[in-house]
Amino acid sequence: MHRLGRLIASIVLLAALAAPVAAQTTNLPPLERASQVLFWSQTEREAGFRAMDRIVPHRVIAAGDVARPLPEGDPLSLDVEGFMASEKVAGLLVLQDGQIRLERYGLNFEREGRWTSFSMAKSLTSTLVGAAIKDGYIASLETPIVRYLPELTDSAYEGVTVRQLLTMTSGADWNEDYTNPDADVARFFEPHDTGGMDPTLHYMRQLKRAAEPGTRWHYSTGETQLIGVLVRRATGKPLAHYLSEKLWSAYGMERDAGWMIDESGQEASGCCVMASLRDWGRVGQFMLDGGKVGNSAILPDGWLSQATSKQADYGEAGEGYGFQWWTYDDGRYAAHGIFGQSITIDPERKTVVVILSAWPTATGRSNVRDAFLKQVADAVDAAPQTER
């Protein structure tokens, strides 16, 4: 049975039973198309986003023995109830200088729970590329990816570099339309005969070239999937284990996380890490700390400045795309996932804002969220924390 189909069917049952997890998921029939994941009811989303790791297989991202402290700071004076209700927010966290200045939960989600990231996982995957370069597993950003993925020789990815894959400027064609059940993003996760080849490589090598590498930005979850295969090949380690080694255990996450695995038993590197609200905050704090664990940098010199600044322009004034991070010309950067997941990092104010949500629609620009982030910035400016 196709695992994503089982996931969708299981979450339907979750909602029907109003229970945290289905008692028996393995006997449920799959839905007709995996893309129906995008059309759950609101009740199904709120039940499912906090239960995916208990419905379909995830590989454990192990935490360490000692959690990195997040001490309580002076509370920010913000009225968040209306924002949380309108944005269907399950978890809201504001850190400044590593201290908790605001923490709220909704939709029956709690501190002990974990919430799926959707595409916020892309930012974790790109960070593993930096770690692999630092560790000597990957030669450089300018290395052609066929060095590690020879199955892509004579495909649209011939001549594409690691940098171009990270910035989604490969030039390969791809359809990321979440409303189209025949789009690549939907068909990619459906089972198909690969003749023994890795399913990601088998699908992606069939894409056509739409532009010369480096000349066009085009959002593609498939390309982050390729990054994941590249890191696994280069390091010889599952992504979840490498992420634990470099970040989750080393930096001090408080709880094990989980990374959804695909039909081949590999992490779906473009999607779906399950983690607690506070540990998502620690991911942001790790970035603010310069990508360091203690005094040791796990990323190459200059990596963070490139990863979190505009490397590609996608047509929105004042915004851009780095190494799988969304960037803003004012210095902020963010990880985003569909249905309203986000980590927004503001180096100037030393803040991390994490929002976990169950939006009614997969994508869209939320003016309400933008206004709330502005309120957070104004509140921090009005009552700044004492420098550590």
Side-chain angles (χ1 to χ4, degrees):
M1 177 184 294
H2 182 40
R3 289 183 179 123
L4 188 54
R6 188 194 310 154
L7 179 151
I8 300 165
S10 301
I11 291 179
V12 172
L13 183 60
L14 278 176
L17 298 178
V21 289
Q24 295 182 338
T25 61
T26 56
N27 295 324
L28 294 172
L31 297 188
E32 183 180 353
R33 298 295 298 271
S35 56
Q36 287 176 282
V37 67
L38 300 170
F39 305 104
W40 296 339
S41 72
Q42 187 63 32
T43 301
E44 291 159 0
R45 280 189 290 273
E46 293 176 15
F49 291 177
R50 61 175 177 263
M52 286 186 181
D53 58 337
R54 290 171 282 167
I55 300 169
V56 294
H58 281 58
R59 182 165 286 129
V60 173
I61 306 167
D65 296 329
V66 179
R68 181 183 181 86
L70 291 178
E72 298 285 342
D74 293 336
L76 287 177
S77 180
L78 288 172
D79 182 4
V80 301
E81 299 306 317
F83 166 71
M84 292 183 66
S86 67
E87 293 287 287
K88 305 297 182 185
V89 173
L92 172 62
L93 179 69
V94 178
L95 303 180
Q96 187 194 20
D97 252 342
Q99 298 181 347
I100 297 174
R101 302 204 62 189
L102 179 67
E103 183 177 20
R104 297 285 190 278
Y105 293 90
L107 307 183
N108 295 316
F109 185 58
E110 299 175 340
R111 177 184 168 183
E112 293 74 22
R114 299 187 296 184
W115 196 264
T116 194
S117 67
F118 292 107
S119 287
M120 289 200 306
K122 290 180 168 67
S123 303
L124 293 175
T125 298
S126 76
T127 301
L128 292 182
V129 175
I133 291 175
K134 174 76 170 177
D135 288 345
Y137 293 119
I138 296 174
S140 76
L141 285 167
E142 312 312 328
T143 303
I145 63 173
V146 293
R147 174 170 172 177
Y148 306 97
L149 308 174
E151 296 92 334
L152 298 181
T153 302
D154 297 325
S155 76
Y157 290 94
E158 179 85 58
V160 172
T161 66
V162 173
R163 180 188 296 274
Q164 290 162 348
L165 205 58
L166 284 171
T167 57
M168 295 193 180
T169 58
S170 72
D173 199 14
W174 173 271
N175 187 333
E176 188 89 10
D177 183 355
Y178 297 110
T179 67
N180 180 359
D182 291 317
D184 291 303
V185 72
R187 294 171 52 227
F188 177 84
F189 289 103
E190 296 184 350
H192 55 282
D193 182 12
T194 69
M197 184 182 295
D198 179 278
T200 292
L201 298 176
H202 185 270
Y203 192 94
M204 300 300 285
R205 73 190 302 273
Q206 300 176 64
L207 299 180
K208 304 299 182 183
R209 176 166 286 179
E212 285 302 304
T215 64
R216 183 194 74 153
W217 180 86
H218 188 68
Y219 191 79
S220 169
T221 292
E223 302 215 328
T224 314
Q225 297 290 122
L226 280 182
I227 295 171
V229 179
L230 187 155
V231 172
R232 285 193 297 269
R233 287 273 184 90
T235 64
K237 303 174 183 181
L239 296 185
H241 295 176
Y242 196 45
L243 182 60
S244 173
E245 173 190 333
K246 306 310 296 186
L247 175 58
W248 223 258
S249 174
Y251 190 73
M253 304 307 182
E254 68 181 13
R255 297 196 58 201
D256 290 350
W259 204 327
M260 189 176 78
I261 56 176
D262 62 22
E263 197 68 19
S264 69
Q266 305 298 334
E267 293 87 348
S269 49
C271 182
C272 306
V273 169
M274 294 285 295
S276 71
L277 177 66
R278 288 192 174 193
D279 282 343
W280 284 123
R282 288 181 175 94
V283 169
Q285 191 61 44
F286 164 80
M287 297 296 288
L288 278 183
D289 288 347
K292 294 182 179 180
V293 175
N295 294 322
S296 299
I298 74 158
L299 300 169
D301 291 344
W303 176 271
L304 280 182
S305 63
Q306 293 186 75
T308 62
S309 61
K310 183 187 294 186
Q311 303 296 317
D313 193 326
Y314 58 82
E316 287 287 340
E319 301 179 10
Y321 200 70
F323 296 168
Q324 312 274 301
W325 292 92
W326 301 88
T327 69
Y328 304 91
D329 290 355
D330 63 7
R332 293 177 300 133
Y333 55 95
H336 287 298
I338 58 173
F339 295 106
Q341 323 316 317
S342 67
I343 305 172
T344 304
I345 300 166
D346 186 340
E348 179 183 350
R349 295 177 176 84
K350 300 181 180 180
T351 59
V352 177
V353 182
V354 183
I355 304 173
L356 305 177
S357 301
W359 280 0
T361 58
T363 60
R365 184 66 178 259
S366 171
N367 292 330
V368 174
R369 174 163 301 195
D370 291 345
F372 177 76
L373 291 172
K374 177 66 163 55
Q375 289 176 29
V376 170
D378 290 345
V380 168
D381 288 344
Q385 289 282 80
T386 303
E387 291 285 333
R388 288 186 294 177

